[in-house]
Amino acid sequence: MLLVLSGAPGLRAAVGCDLNEPDRDVKRLFPESTSYKTLYVSIAKRGGAALQKQIEARLGDTFKGLFETADVPYTMYEIYKGSELIGYIHGVNQKGTYGGIQVFLALDRDGVIRGFYFQKLTSRAAKLLREPAFGSQFIGLSLRDFYRYDVVSGKEVPPGPVSRIKNPDPVSNEDFRAALRATKKNLILVDEFLLGNRYLKYFETGSVRPDAGSCARGV
């Protein structure tokens, strides 16, 4: 496997989110893959406080707590089939009801979700949230779909593809909403660090699709 370190030793002291078993996990999420590169990036090194404010604006919420400081190292995986880049894997930490949760996304090279899963989840609804039926609802969505979703209110206006993601826990929605916030944050960070802000134009113009389907592709 290929490894690219961008100031990794200093960054690793902060609280990041790595795949527990990258060789196994990459092959599970991308069975066709032959290698991967591991990249370490941070808001502090890319743009500092100014960049953090921009990312918070795109998220629609301020960063909070240990997992959302500017110096957090984000571990991003570029996935290859031979010499061809075929996608990405990235995970983020997010505060849940009983502690931190880790939401990982497998994305195609256009930043469209092809896989969703929790690497870490302590929740009364953990069994339900880990069901493949829940994660499958994210497949085919991209940051363009998530821009209309307000992570503070938990509403998407007007209702669209994110609103159709169903909470499997009829009693509480805190961890469900944490998963959606983590997904939006994850997609924004991938767009910033890996996709060259391909989706930024939809945030700046408000040009989001009125009703994107679950098999949306590209931008």
Side-chain angles (χ1 to χ4, degrees):
M1 296 301 176
L2 301 175
L3 180 66
V4 176
L5 301 178
S6 298
L11 291 176
R12 300 288 292 187
V15 179
C17 189
D18 301 339
L19 288 169
N20 286 338
E21 297 187 47
D23 291 357
R24 181 200 66 183
D25 294 334
V26 167
K27 202 63 179 176
R28 174 173 59 84
L29 295 167
F30 288 86
E32 71 274 32
S33 66
T34 57
S35 64
Y36 64 90
K37 294 180 181 179
T38 306
L39 311 173
Y40 298 96
V41 297
S42 76
I43 293 172
K45 287 186 175 293
R46 174 65 67 90
L51 178 58
Q52 180 169 322
K53 288 186 178 298
Q54 293 171 18
I55 291 174
E56 288 173 336
R58 296 171 73 179
L59 179 63
D61 195 12
T62 57
F63 278 9
K64 306 176 185 71
L66 181 64
F67 299 139
E68 293 186 336
T69 61
D71 63 341
V72 166
Y74 296 106
T75 306
M76 299 184 169
Y77 302 86
E78 292 183 341
I79 315 303
Y80 290 84
K81 180 179 180 181
S83 60
E84 178 189 4
L85 175 66
I86 59 173
Y88 309 96
I89 299 172
H90 180 231
V92 296
N93 288 296
Q94 171 68 44
K95 185 180 182 300
T97 306
Y98 301 106
I101 66 176
Q102 293 181 343
V103 172
F104 271 83
L105 301 178
L107 306 161
D108 69 16
R109 60 189 298 172
D110 293 317
V112 177
I113 298 172
R114 57 175 276 172
F116 170 102
Y117 79 100
F118 295 97
Q119 180 168 267
K120 175 184 177 183
L121 175 62
T122 303
S123 170
R124 61 175 301 280
K127 183 177 180 180
L128 294 173
L129 290 169
R130 288 185 183 277
E131 286 289 335
F134 176 71
S136 68
Q137 298 178 92
F138 293 80
I139 294 175
L141 302 184
S142 71
L143 180 54
R144 188 175 180 183
D145 300 304
F146 269 85
Y147 268 140
R148 273 204 321 272
Y149 175 71
D150 184 340
V151 300
V152 176
S153 68
K155 304 292 185 181
E156 181 187 17
V157 182
V162 178
S163 299
R164 290 195 289 271
I165 300 174
K166 301 301 182 184
N167 179 7
D169 179 9
V171 178
S172 172
N173 68 354
E174 185 173 347
D175 289 329
F176 169 71
R177 285 179 56 179
L180 294 182
R181 185 184 187 277
T183 299
K184 185 176 182 180
K185 179 174 68 174
N186 194 327
L187 291 168
I188 291 168
L189 292 168
V190 168
D191 194 48
E192 174 67 38
F193 290 110
L194 295 177
L195 300 181
N197 284 317
R198 180 180 305 184
Y199 288 90
L200 181 58
K201 60 186 177 184
Y202 301 111
F203 172 73
E204 292 175 335
T205 64
S207 175
V208 293
R209 286 167 290 183
D211 188 22
S214 61
C215 59
R217 282 292 179 270
V219 295

